[in-house]
PDB file of all heavy atoms in Angstrom:
ATOM      1  N   THR A1175      58.217 -20.635  -0.485  1.00  0.00           N
ATOM      2  CA  THR A1175      59.280 -19.678  -0.776  1.00  0.00           C
ATOM      3  C   THR A1175      60.121 -19.414   0.466  1.00  0.00           C
ATOM      4  O   THR A1175      61.357 -19.376   0.406  1.00  0.00           O
ATOM      5  CB  THR A1175      58.675 -18.352  -1.287  1.00  0.00           C
ATOM      6  OG1 THR A1175      57.960 -18.602  -2.485  1.00  0.00           O
ATOM      7  CG2 THR A1175      59.766 -17.318  -1.540  1.00  0.00           C
ATOM      8  N   SER A1176      59.451 -19.245   1.609  1.00  0.00           N
ATOM      9  CA  SER A1176      60.153 -19.008   2.867  1.00  0.00           C
ATOM     10  C   SER A1176      61.044 -20.189   3.226  1.00  0.00           C
ATOM     11  O   SER A1176      62.191 -20.036   3.654  1.00  0.00           O
ATOM     12  CB  SER A1176      59.142 -18.746   3.992  1.00  0.00           C
ATOM     13  OG  SER A1176      59.788 -18.565   5.219  1.00  0.00           O
ATOM     14  N   ARG A1177      60.517 -21.397   3.040  1.00  0.00           N
ATOM     15  CA  ARG A1177      61.302 -22.604   3.353  1.00  0.00           C
ATOM     16  C   ARG A1177      62.534 -22.702   2.463  1.00  0.00           C
ATOM     17  O   ARG A1177      63.633 -23.019   2.943  1.00  0.00           O
ATOM     18  CB  ARG A1177      60.422 -23.845   3.175  1.00  0.00           C
ATOM     19  CG  ARG A1177      61.123 -25.159   3.519  1.00  0.00           C
ATOM     20  CD  ARG A1177      60.244 -26.355   3.185  1.00  0.00           C
ATOM     21  NE  ARG A1177      60.035 -26.484   1.748  1.00  0.00           N
ATOM     22  CZ  ARG A1177      60.933 -27.030   0.917  1.00  0.00           C
ATOM     23  NH1 ARG A1177      62.093 -27.472   1.363  1.00  0.00           N
ATOM     24  NH2 ARG A1177      60.660 -27.134  -0.376  1.00  0.00           N
ATOM     25  N   LEU A1178      62.367 -22.443   1.183  1.00  0.00           N
ATOM     26  CA  LEU A1178      63.494 -22.525   0.256  1.00  0.00           C
ATOM     27  C   LEU A1178      64.570 -21.493   0.588  1.00  0.00           C
ATOM     28  O   LEU A1178      65.770 -21.778   0.488  1.00  0.00           O
ATOM     29  CB  LEU A1178      63.008 -22.340  -1.180  1.00  0.00           C
ATOM     30  CG  LEU A1178      62.178 -23.490  -1.758  1.00  0.00           C
ATOM     31  CD1 LEU A1178      61.635 -23.121  -3.134  1.00  0.00           C
ATOM     32  CD2 LEU A1178      63.014 -24.771  -1.850  1.00  0.00           C
ATOM     33  N   ARG A1179      64.142 -20.294   0.984  1.00  0.00           N
ATOM     34  CA  ARG A1179      65.110 -19.266   1.368  1.00  0.00           C
ATOM     35  C   ARG A1179      65.934 -19.721   2.563  1.00  0.00           C
ATOM     36  O   ARG A1179      67.148 -19.546   2.605  1.00  0.00           O
ATOM     37  CB  ARG A1179      64.389 -17.960   1.704  1.00  0.00           C
ATOM     38  CG  ARG A1179      63.892 -17.183   0.489  1.00  0.00           C
ATOM     39  CD  ARG A1179      63.148 -15.943   0.932  1.00  0.00           C
ATOM     40  NE  ARG A1179      62.620 -15.196  -0.201  1.00  0.00           N
ATOM     41  CZ  ARG A1179      61.781 -14.169  -0.077  1.00  0.00           C
ATOM     42  NH1 ARG A1179      61.375 -13.781   1.136  1.00  0.00           N
ATOM     43  NH2 ARG A1179      61.349 -13.531  -1.147  1.00  0.00           N
ATOM     44  N   ARG A1180      65.241 -20.305   3.575  1.00  0.00           N
ATOM     45  CA  ARG A1180      65.960 -20.781   4.760  1.00  0.00           C
ATOM     46  C   ARG A1180      66.919 -21.899   4.401  1.00  0.00           C
ATOM     47  O   ARG A1180      68.056 -21.933   4.878  1.00  0.00           O
ATOM     48  CB  ARG A1180      64.955 -21.258   5.820  1.00  0.00           C
ATOM     49  CG  ARG A1180      64.156 -20.143   6.476  1.00  0.00           C
ATOM     50  CD  ARG A1180      63.473 -20.644   7.740  1.00  0.00           C
ATOM     51  NE  ARG A1180      62.611 -21.788   7.478  1.00  0.00           N
ATOM     52  CZ  ARG A1180      61.336 -21.689   7.131  1.00  0.00           C
ATOM     53  NH1 ARG A1180      60.782 -20.488   7.000  1.00  0.00           N
ATOM     54  NH2 ARG A1180      60.599 -22.767   6.927  1.00  0.00           N
ATOM     55  N   GLU A1181      66.472 -22.832   3.557  1.00  0.00           N
ATOM     56  CA  GLU A1181      67.333 -23.945   3.179  1.00  0.00           C
ATOM     57  C   GLU A1181      68.549 -23.465   2.383  1.00  0.00           C
ATOM     58  O   GLU A1181      69.668 -23.939   2.598  1.00  0.00           O
ATOM     59  CB  GLU A1181      66.543 -24.972   2.359  1.00  0.00           C
ATOM     60  CG  GLU A1181      65.553 -25.764   3.179  1.00  0.00           C
ATOM     61  CD  GLU A1181      64.840 -26.819   2.350  1.00  0.00           C
ATOM     62  OE1 GLU A1181      65.105 -26.883   1.123  1.00  0.00           O
ATOM     63  OE2 GLU A1181      64.020 -27.564   2.919  1.00  0.00           O
ATOM     64  N   ASN A1182      68.339 -22.528   1.449  1.00  0.00           N
ATOM     65  CA  ASN A1182      69.456 -21.989   0.676  1.00  0.00           C
ATOM     66  C   ASN A1182      70.457 -21.278   1.569  1.00  0.00           C
ATOM     67  O   ASN A1182      71.674 -21.397   1.394  1.00  0.00           O
ATOM     68  CB  ASN A1182      68.949 -21.016  -0.397  1.00  0.00           C
ATOM     69  CG  ASN A1182      68.250 -21.724  -1.541  1.00  0.00           C
ATOM     70  OD1 ASN A1182      68.488 -22.903  -1.771  1.00  0.00           O
ATOM     71  ND2 ASN A1182      67.397 -21.009  -2.259  1.00  0.00           N
ATOM     72  N   SER A1183      69.922 -20.534   2.543  1.00  0.00           N
ATOM     73  CA  SER A1183      70.800 -19.828   3.473  1.00  0.00           C
ATOM     74  C   SER A1183      71.617 -20.817   4.295  1.00  0.00           C
ATOM     75  O   SER A1183      72.819 -20.635   4.506  1.00  0.00           O
ATOM     76  CB  SER A1183      69.963 -18.930   4.391  1.00  0.00           C
ATOM     77  OG  SER A1183      70.773 -18.203   5.260  1.00  0.00           O
ATOM     78  N   GLU A1184      70.960 -21.906   4.763  1.00  0.00           N
ATOM     79  CA  GLU A1184      71.664 -22.920   5.543  1.00  0.00           C
ATOM     80  C   GLU A1184      72.720 -23.625   4.698  1.00  0.00           C
ATOM     81  O   GLU A1184      73.830 -23.910   5.167  1.00  0.00           O
ATOM     82  CB  GLU A1184      70.667 -23.939   6.091  1.00  0.00           C
ATOM     83  CG  GLU A1184      69.767 -23.367   7.183  1.00  0.00           C
ATOM     84  CD  GLU A1184      68.654 -24.322   7.566  1.00  0.00           C
ATOM     85  OE1 GLU A1184      68.628 -25.445   7.012  1.00  0.00           O
ATOM     86  OE2 GLU A1184      67.806 -23.950   8.406  1.00  0.00           O
ATOM     87  N   LEU A1185      72.382 -23.916   3.435  1.00  0.00           N
ATOM     88  CA  LEU A1185      73.351 -24.570   2.555  1.00  0.00           C
ATOM     89  C   LEU A1185      74.566 -23.692   2.298  1.00  0.00           C
ATOM     90  O   LEU A1185      75.694 -24.175   2.254  1.00  0.00           O
ATOM     91  CB  LEU A1185      72.680 -24.949   1.226  1.00  0.00           C
ATOM     92  CG  LEU A1185      71.708 -26.125   1.280  1.00  0.00           C
ATOM     93  CD1 LEU A1185      70.972 -26.268  -0.053  1.00  0.00           C
ATOM     94  CD2 LEU A1185      72.441 -27.421   1.614  1.00  0.00           C
ATOM     95  N   ARG A1186      74.336 -22.387   2.122  1.00  0.00           N
ATOM     96  CA  ARG A1186      75.453 -21.469   1.914  1.00  0.00           C
ATOM     97  C   ARG A1186      76.355 -21.438   3.133  1.00  0.00           C
ATOM     98  O   ARG A1186      77.585 -21.417   3.020  1.00  0.00           O
ATOM     99  CB  ARG A1186      74.939 -20.064   1.598  1.00  0.00           C
ATOM    100  CG  ARG A1186      74.419 -19.903   0.175  1.00  0.00           C
ATOM    101  CD  ARG A1186      74.296 -18.431  -0.188  1.00  0.00           C
ATOM    102  NE  ARG A1186      73.371 -17.737   0.679  1.00  0.00           N
ATOM    103  CZ  ARG A1186      72.081 -17.615   0.430  1.00  0.00           C
ATOM    104  NH1 ARG A1186      71.563 -18.146  -0.665  1.00  0.00           N
ATOM    105  NH2 ARG A1186      71.296 -16.960   1.272  1.00  0.00           N
ATOM    106  N   ARG A1187      75.741 -21.432   4.325  1.00  0.00           N
ATOM    107  CA  ARG A1187      76.551 -21.413   5.538  1.00  0.00           C
ATOM    108  C   ARG A1187      77.341 -22.704   5.687  1.00  0.00           C
ATOM    109  O   ARG A1187      78.509 -22.702   6.055  1.00  0.00           O
ATOM    110  CB  ARG A1187      75.653 -21.197   6.760  1.00  0.00           C
ATOM    111  CG  ARG A1187      75.177 -19.767   6.907  1.00  0.00           C
ATOM    112  CD  ARG A1187      74.635 -19.535   8.303  1.00  0.00           C
ATOM    113  NE  ARG A1187      73.415 -20.270   8.537  1.00  0.00           N
ATOM    114  CZ  ARG A1187      72.205 -19.809   8.264  1.00  0.00           C
ATOM    115  NH1 ARG A1187      72.069 -18.628   7.711  1.00  0.00           N
ATOM    116  NH2 ARG A1187      71.136 -20.525   8.520  1.00  0.00           N
ATOM    117  N   LYS A1188      76.700 -23.851   5.386  1.00  0.00           N
ATOM    118  CA  LYS A1188      77.416 -25.123   5.469  1.00  0.00           C
ATOM    119  C   LYS A1188      78.558 -25.177   4.476  1.00  0.00           C
ATOM    120  O   LYS A1188      79.630 -25.696   4.747  1.00  0.00           O
ATOM    121  CB  LYS A1188      76.448 -26.287   5.211  1.00  0.00           C
ATOM    122  CG  LYS A1188      75.462 -26.529   6.331  1.00  0.00           C
ATOM    123  CD  LYS A1188      74.519 -27.662   5.994  1.00  0.00           C
ATOM    124  CE  LYS A1188      73.509 -27.889   7.114  1.00  0.00           C
ATOM    125  NZ  LYS A1188      72.555 -28.971   6.784  1.00  0.00           N
ATOM    126  N   ASP A1189      78.339 -24.600   3.296  1.00  0.00           N
ATOM    127  CA  ASP A1189      79.362 -24.635   2.251  1.00  0.00           C
ATOM    128  C   ASP A1189      80.608 -23.880   2.670  1.00  0.00           C
ATOM    129  O   ASP A1189      81.720 -24.340   2.473  1.00  0.00           O
ATOM    130  CB  ASP A1189      78.797 -24.026   0.966  1.00  0.00           C
ATOM    131  CG  ASP A1189      79.807 -24.022  -0.162  1.00  0.00           C
ATOM    132  OD1 ASP A1189      80.292 -25.100  -0.509  1.00  0.00           O
ATOM    133  OD2 ASP A1189      80.096 -22.941  -0.699  1.00  0.00           O
ATOM    134  N   VAL A1190      80.435 -22.708   3.285  1.00  0.00           N
ATOM    135  CA  VAL A1190      81.610 -21.927   3.647  1.00  0.00           C
ATOM    136  C   VAL A1190      82.254 -22.439   4.921  1.00  0.00           C
ATOM    137  O   VAL A1190      83.458 -22.280   5.107  1.00  0.00           O
ATOM    138  CB  VAL A1190      81.259 -20.427   3.797  1.00  0.00           C
ATOM    139  CG1 VAL A1190      80.776 -19.858   2.487  1.00  0.00           C
ATOM    140  CG2 VAL A1190      80.236 -20.186   4.890  1.00  0.00           C
ATOM    141  N   THR A1191      81.481 -23.054   5.824  1.00  0.00           N
ATOM    142  CA  THR A1191      82.075 -23.493   7.071  1.00  0.00           C
ATOM    143  C   THR A1191      82.784 -24.827   6.939  1.00  0.00           C
ATOM    144  O   THR A1191      83.424 -25.274   7.879  1.00  0.00           O
ATOM    145  CB  THR A1191      81.003 -23.606   8.174  1.00  0.00           C
ATOM    146  OG1 THR A1191      79.935 -24.460   7.719  1.00  0.00           O
ATOM    147  CG2 THR A1191      80.431 -22.247   8.509  1.00  0.00           C
ATOM    148  N   THR A1192      82.713 -25.498   5.789  1.00  0.00           N
ATOM    149  CA  THR A1192      83.467 -26.732   5.612  1.00  0.00           C
ATOM    150  C   THR A1192      84.965 -26.442   5.496  1.00  0.00           C
ATOM    151  O   THR A1192      85.774 -27.326   5.663  1.00  0.00           O
ATOM    152  CB  THR A1192      83.004 -27.486   4.352  1.00  0.00           C
ATOM    153  OG1 THR A1192      83.058 -26.599   3.224  1.00  0.00           O
ATOM    154  CG2 THR A1192      81.583 -27.986   4.513  1.00  0.00           C
ATOM    155  N   THR A1193      85.339 -25.196   5.166  1.00  0.00           N
ATOM    156  CA  THR A1193      86.745 -24.823   5.119  1.00  0.00           C
ATOM    157  C   THR A1193      87.205 -24.540   6.541  1.00  0.00           C
ATOM    158  O   THR A1193      87.046 -23.431   7.040  1.00  0.00           O
ATOM    159  CB  THR A1193      86.951 -23.579   4.230  1.00  0.00           C
ATOM    160  OG1 THR A1193      86.394 -23.847   2.943  1.00  0.00           O
ATOM    161  CG2 THR A1193      88.404 -23.261   4.072  1.00  0.00           C
ATOM    162  N   ASP A1194      87.764 -25.560   7.186  1.00  0.00           N
ATOM    163  CA  ASP A1194      88.165 -25.441   8.577  1.00  0.00           C
ATOM    164  C   ASP A1194      89.574 -24.872   8.657  1.00  0.00           C
ATOM    165  O   ASP A1194      90.338 -24.900   7.705  1.00  0.00           O
ATOM    166  CB  ASP A1194      88.106 -26.813   9.255  1.00  0.00           C
ATOM    167  CG  ASP A1194      88.024 -26.685  10.760  1.00  0.00           C
ATOM    168  OD1 ASP A1194      87.981 -25.539  11.246  1.00  0.00           O
ATOM    169  OD2 ASP A1194      88.001 -27.729  11.438  1.00  0.00           O
ATOM    170  N   MET A1195      89.904 -24.362   9.823  1.00  0.00           N
ATOM    171  CA  MET A1195      91.262 -23.893  10.049  1.00  0.00           C
ATOM    172  C   MET A1195      92.168 -25.105  10.247  1.00  0.00           C
ATOM    173  O   MET A1195      91.839 -26.030  10.982  1.00  0.00           O
ATOM    174  CB  MET A1195      91.305 -22.975  11.272  1.00  0.00           C
ATOM    175  CG  MET A1195      90.521 -21.689  11.079  1.00  0.00           C
ATOM    176  SD  MET A1195      90.685 -20.584  12.488  1.00  0.00           S
ATOM    177  CE  MET A1195      92.422 -20.155  12.367  1.00  0.00           C
ATOM    178  N   VAL A1196      93.312 -25.084   9.578  1.00  0.00           N
ATOM    179  CA  VAL A1196      94.217 -26.241   9.578  1.00  0.00           C
ATOM    180  C   VAL A1196      95.585 -25.812  10.078  1.00  0.00           C
ATOM    181  O   VAL A1196      96.128 -24.802   9.630  1.00  0.00           O
ATOM    182  CB  VAL A1196      94.342 -26.835   8.156  1.00  0.00           C
ATOM    183  CG1 VAL A1196      95.383 -27.950   8.124  1.00  0.00           C
ATOM    184  CG2 VAL A1196      92.989 -27.351   7.672  1.00  0.00           C
ATOM    185  N   GLY A1197      96.147 -26.595  10.985  1.00  0.00           N
ATOM    186  CA  GLY A1197      97.495 -26.323  11.466  1.00  0.00           C
ATOM    187  C   GLY A1197      97.731 -26.895  12.843  1.00  0.00           C
ATOM    188  O   GLY A1197      96.781 -27.272  13.546  1.00  0.00           O
ATOM    189  N   SER A1198      98.985 -26.972  13.241  1.00  0.00           N
ATOM    190  CA  SER A1198      99.336 -27.457  14.575  1.00  0.00           C
ATOM    191  C   SER A1198     100.573 -26.760  15.129  1.00  0.00           C
ATOM    192  O   SER A1198     101.031 -27.084  16.214  1.00  0.00           O
ATOM    193  CB  SER A1198      99.578 -28.979  14.536  1.00  0.00           C
ATOM    194  OG  SER A1198     100.548 -29.302  13.549  1.00  0.00           O
ATOM    195  N   SER A1199     101.139 -25.811  14.387  1.00  0.00           N
ATOM    196  CA  SER A1199     102.324 -25.095  14.848  1.00  0.00           C
ATOM    197  C   SER A1199     101.974 -24.210  16.037  1.00  0.00           C
ATOM    198  O   SER A1199     100.802 -23.938  16.314  1.00  0.00           O
ATOM    199  CB  SER A1199     102.888 -24.227  13.721  1.00  0.00           C
ATOM    200  OG  SER A1199     101.983 -23.183  13.386  1.00  0.00           O
ATOM    201  N   GLN A1200     102.997 -23.726  16.725  1.00  0.00           N
ATOM    202  CA  GLN A1200     102.769 -22.861  17.867  1.00  0.00           C
ATOM    203  C   GLN A1200     102.098 -21.559  17.434  1.00  0.00           C
ATOM    204  O   GLN A1200     101.203 -21.051  18.110  1.00  0.00           O
ATOM    205  CB  GLN A1200     104.091 -22.547  18.568  1.00  0.00           C
ATOM    206  CG  GLN A1200     103.943 -21.676  19.810  1.00  0.00           C
ATOM    207  CD  GLN A1200     103.013 -22.285  20.848  1.00  0.00           C
ATOM    208  OE1 GLN A1200     103.152 -23.451  21.211  1.00  0.00           O
ATOM    209  NE2 GLN A1200     102.040 -21.511  21.319  1.00  0.00           N
ATOM    210  N   ALA A1201     102.527 -21.011  16.297  1.00  0.00           N
ATOM    211  CA  ALA A1201     101.909 -19.777  15.798  1.00  0.00           C
ATOM    212  C   ALA A1201     100.425 -19.988  15.511  1.00  0.00           C
ATOM    213  O   ALA A1201      99.592 -19.125  15.819  1.00  0.00           O
ATOM    214  CB  ALA A1201     102.631 -19.302  14.538  1.00  0.00           C
ATOM    215  N   PHE A1202     100.086 -21.151  14.943  1.00  0.00           N
ATOM    216  CA  PHE A1202      98.682 -21.449  14.644  1.00  0.00           C
ATOM    217  C   PHE A1202      97.888 -21.626  15.930  1.00  0.00           C
ATOM    218  O   PHE A1202      96.772 -21.116  16.058  1.00  0.00           O
ATOM    219  CB  PHE A1202      98.584 -22.707  13.790  1.00  0.00           C
ATOM    220  CG  PHE A1202      97.172 -23.172  13.546  1.00  0.00           C
ATOM    221  CD1 PHE A1202      96.407 -22.595  12.549  1.00  0.00           C
ATOM    222  CD2 PHE A1202      96.601 -24.157  14.341  1.00  0.00           C
ATOM    223  CE1 PHE A1202      95.098 -23.003  12.326  1.00  0.00           C
ATOM    224  CE2 PHE A1202      95.300 -24.570  14.133  1.00  0.00           C
ATOM    225  CZ  PHE A1202      94.550 -23.992  13.123  1.00  0.00           C
TER     226      PHE A1202
END
């Protein structure tokens, strides 16, 4: 149970961090 909780937490973090910041303008 502990292992599954850690893996689910890691998967959730990986899922949200795949949305990277995109841009190259001076404001960005």
